[in-house]
Amino acid sequence: MNNRKIKLALTVGLMNSKKDPNVIGSIKDLMLRFKEVGSYKGLSVIENGKVNLHHTQETYALQFENCTLNIDMISDDGQSQYVKSFELF
């Protein structure tokens, strides 16, 4: 599996995507374009906490057959979500 190629495609796909209320769904769809990741297995929340009064940070694990993608997201009062970082294992 070419992790570098997947990370680059995911970064470009997120930068080019329209403002989508379902960011996790968009990331899952982008990942499924790569046959080498395998089929989608599930989603789990690893961490959830407050950054300040109006912002929360969540860490999600998107699990596929051949890899796991951890995504750090910042949400502002449930209105918008922003990808802070992601890591492919």
Side-chain angles (χ1 to χ4, degrees):
M1 178 167 28
N2 190 343
N3 287 355
R4 189 174 184 187
K5 178 180 159 185
I6 293 171
K7 287 179 183 179
L8 178 61
L10 186 56
T11 301
V12 171
L14 286 171
M15 289 183 347
N16 290 333
S17 68
K18 306 252 189 275
K19 188 154 179 116
D20 187 359
N22 186 6
V23 177
I24 297 293
S26 297
I27 293 171
K28 179 182 127 185
D29 292 342
L30 286 168
M31 289 292 289
L32 288 173
R33 292 181 185 174
F34 294 96
K35 291 183 172 121
E36 59 259 38
V37 300
S39 64
Y40 177 69
K41 292 294 184 185
L43 171 74
S44 58
V45 177
I46 298 172
E47 269 184 69
N48 188 354
K50 290 290 251 183
V51 174
N52 59 31
L53 185 61
H54 300 287
H55 295 88
T56 57
Q57 179 173 339
E58 297 102 5
T59 302
Y60 297 95
L62 277 171
Q63 297 163 345
F64 298 89
E65 278 181 316
N66 301 321
C67 64
T68 299
L69 180 69
N70 287 355
I71 306 163
D72 292 322
M73 306 238 340
I74 302 288
S75 301
D76 59 350
D77 289 337
Q79 303 279 334
S80 299
Q81 292 182 325
Y82 306 95
V83 175
K84 179 181 172 189
S85 64
F86 60 86
E87 193 168 359
L88 187 63
F89 298 100

